[in-house]
Amino acid sequence: MSDPFVEGGLGELESPLYREALAQLDRVAEVMGLDDNIHARLRVPQRATIVSFPFRREGYYEVETVFAYRVQHVLTMGPTKGGLRYAMDVNLGEVAALAMLMTWKTSLVGLPFGGAKGGVRVDPTILTRPELQRLTRRYTAELINVIGPDRDIPAPDMGTNEQVMAWIMDTYSQHVGHAEPGVVTGKPPELGGSIARREATGRGLVSLLPAATSHVGLTLEGARVVVHGFGNVGQYTALAADELGAKVVAVSDVTGGIYNENGLDIAKAQEWVAENGNLAGFPDVDTVTNEELFELECDILVPAAVGGVITKDNADKITAKIIAEGANGPTTLEADLILKERNVFTIPDILANAGGVTVSYFEWVQDLQNYFWSEGEIVARLREIMGQAFEEVLNISITEGYDMRTAALVKGIRRVAAAKLVRGVYP
Ligand code: NAD
């Protein structure tokens, strides 16, 4: 196979995350016998845009030069889709790696997208609202020919939110001369944002738990659930699990965890966090550290905070029979091997947290059609897509002898490869 990289280095894509994404692709390509030409194409993003632009801070004469990126990994199956993050450590390699993972995720659940990701190298926490708005509008203007409802559709990621999406939609619409809600997802509902997007990732994850528990010989009703992270994904995972009769015994955030062996009042914890900003001080519960949380007696563990938290140091202390990865990349390679040996059933991130991008897809479809669905329709269609993807991944895992993570990647990569092969090489 031809290697586009020079002497083993990754050139401008050099970054630990890109190395990891590539190692994962190479490993799965080998076990699934992926066509060499397709494999070589998939190792590099199809388009990567790097821009720098002037950014005026509040002090009128203070102008900074900001670097920003948008990477589109695969343009074969439709427009590209992926989040936009504002963070100080954003670089081309990281954004390219995340774009590649979005390709596998969207393909796995059968959405008509390739993967993309964007990033602006700034610290959003020190910016005023007008600064954030100016930055977002200039970034959008720089990418005016790169994004669009039929080209590439950004969504919120770290450091960006509904308001940032609204400014992108407005800037894009000003440039093209008419309102174009389909250019971003994760917008406020007033602009064509989808209801139920906020809850989508947690709900999507929990919709897989009845089938997963029955596969390992448990029932979800009464199952003990532990959730690491109590932000968007963690809160709605805990709520949805609670609604289905599971017993959420512990949740945690960056300040630590709360525990009640008889089950926590999740709605109350959510209210507490809305009022106080975090879980610290929540009354009438035991407290646990984030380290202790992973060792609690439970049936289902949902990492829903940050990456790299299940490691070789805690993997053999985990008592859960199921790990459903709400966060991206929560399990290290070494931990994965330990969990596999211990027969812990893992629902990998690209499957478990695909509910978010699935409802983003619904938002895009509704915007294009100017026809909005009810919450019931959205939830039912989300469940259908997630359920089908789960069944297919489980089936590949059983019939072809892969672990669930490999099976999910095989399914995602297979669809992209098939699309590339039938399109052929131009010219
Ligand atoms: P969020 O910012 O809303 O919440 C993050 C939560 O994690 C917070 O409760 C925070 O206090 C906690 N946290 C942060 N660092 C921690 C640490 N070291 N230990 C314990 N808790 C910690 O973020 P989110 O949108 O819920 O995303 C969480 C994860 O899910 C991320 O990995 C993200 O990439 C992934 N994800 C999110 C979505 C989505 O729709 N929001 C979709 C797919 C994947």
Side-chain angles (χ1 to χ4, degrees):
M1 183 190 62
S2 70
D3 190 339
F5 301 117
V6 187
E7 290 168 6
L10 303 186
E12 50 272 85
L13 293 170
E14 184 62 63
S15 88
L17 204 58
Y18 199 76
R19 276 195 180 274
E20 238 175 71
L22 217 46
Q24 180 166 264
L25 168 62
D26 292 347
R27 179 182 67 81
V28 176
E30 165 132 28
V31 299
M32 69 186 280
L34 181 64
D35 178 283
D36 278 351
N37 298 320
I38 300 285
H39 180 193
R41 282 302 292 131
L42 293 176
R43 295 182 90 232
V44 282
Q46 210 164 330
R47 283 188 192 154
T49 308
I50 307 177
V51 294
S52 73
F53 54 83
F55 166 46
R56 197 183 292 287
R57 300 294 301 270
E58 286 303 90
Y60 192 76
Y61 295 105
E62 210 184 321
V63 178
E64 286 176 14
T65 292
V66 170
F67 284 87
Y69 309 90
R70 186 74 190 170
V71 175
Q72 300 164 340
H73 177 238
V74 166
L75 302 168
T76 308
M77 292 102 68
T80 47
K81 182 101 196 73
L84 166 64
R85 59 172 53 177
Y86 290 174
M88 266 323 278
D89 54 2
V90 157
N91 59 60
L92 181 65
E94 178 189 288
V95 174
L98 295 167
M100 187 188 284
L101 298 180
M102 280 304 293
T103 297
W104 312 148
K105 191 182 296 187
T106 51
S107 172
L108 166 64
V109 283
L111 307 183
F113 297 132
K117 205 77 175 187
V120 182
R121 198 185 302 154
V122 287
D123 177 0
T125 62
I126 59 163
L127 300 184
T128 64
R129 187 180 157 98
E131 285 174 337
L132 206 55
Q133 178 167 176
R134 279 201 294 278
L135 180 90
T136 301
R137 289 187 182 282
R138 180 64 190 245
Y139 174 73
T140 310
E142 292 291 335
L143 294 180
I144 211 75
N145 295 317
V146 174
I147 59 171
D150 47 7
R151 287 187 186 151
D152 181 11
I153 306 128
D157 195 76
M158 265 166 52
T160 60
N161 54 24
E162 286 189 0
Q163 179 60 72
V164 170
M165 296 304 116
W167 289 327
I168 295 178
M169 179 271 181
D170 183 63
T171 308
Y172 187 85
S173 301
Q174 298 294 347
H175 276 257
V176 297
H178 60 265
E180 192 59 273
V183 65
V184 282
T185 60
K187 297 176 294 292
E190 298 84 337
L191 291 180
S194 179
I195 44 173
R197 168 65 186 89
R198 196 171 298 150
E199 300 89 341
T201 306
R203 271 186 183 160
L205 183 150
V206 171
S207 74
L208 305 181
L209 294 181
T213 43
S214 111
H215 176 71
V216 301
L218 290 172
T219 45
L220 185 54
E221 175 110 33
R224 284 158 306 175
V225 179
V226 166
V227 182
H228 178 249
F230 202 60
N232 175 294
V233 180
Q235 287 184 25
Y236 291 106
T237 294
L239 267 184
D242 187 63
E243 276 166 20
L244 288 187
K247 199 157 59 167
V248 182
V249 292
V251 299
S252 75
D253 65 15
V254 73
T255 64
I258 59 173
Y259 172 71
N260 182 341
E261 63 172 346
N262 298 315
L264 294 162
D265 186 335
I266 299 302
K268 244 193 204 151
Q270 200 180 24
E271 272 168 38
W272 180 270
V273 170
E275 266 169 40
N276 301 283
N278 55 54
L279 287 165
F282 186 74
D284 307 325
V285 289
D286 295 327
T287 55
V288 287
T289 64
N290 271 302
E291 291 71 38
E292 288 163 348
L293 183 104
F294 285 100
E295 298 169 22
L296 289 173
E297 199 62 42
C298 69
D299 301 302
I300 301 167
L301 172 66
V302 183
V306 288
V309 291
I310 301 179
T311 66
K312 64 176 176 12
D313 299 325
N314 61 12
D316 53 9
K317 300 189 189 111
I318 287 171
T319 62
K321 289 169 200 69
I322 295 172
I323 296 179
E325 297 181 336
N328 284 318
T331 310
T332 65
L333 216 62
E334 293 147 314
D336 218 18
L337 295 174
I338 298 172
L339 295 170
K340 225 182 286 172
E341 228 162 69
R342 295 186 50 222
N343 257 332
V344 178
F345 183 72
T346 299
I347 310 177
D349 47 8
I350 59 168
L351 173 59
N353 69 31
V357 73
T358 302
V359 173
S360 279
Y361 161 64
F362 296 163
E363 179 174 333
W364 176 73
V365 169
Q366 292 170 80
D367 289 339
L368 293 184
Q369 299 184 340
N370 285 305
Y371 178 69
F372 291 89
W373 311 347
S374 69
E375 184 166 354
E377 282 171 302
I378 292 171
V379 175
R381 287 174 186 176
L382 170 67
R383 285 206 188 111
E384 189 187 335
I385 288 183
M386 294 292 291
Q388 193 175 335
F390 178 84
E391 285 305 320
E392 287 170 11
V393 170
L394 186 60
N395 191 34
I396 290 176
S397 152
I398 293 168
T399 57
E400 301 181 37
Y402 302 127
D403 59 83
M404 283 293 278
R405 192 182 308 283
T406 305
L409 286 161
V410 165
K411 175 166 157 48
I413 294 170
R414 217 171 246 169
R415 179 161 166 259
V416 179
K420 280 202 168 296
L421 281 171
V422 283
R423 273 190 67 158
V425 179
Y426 174 85

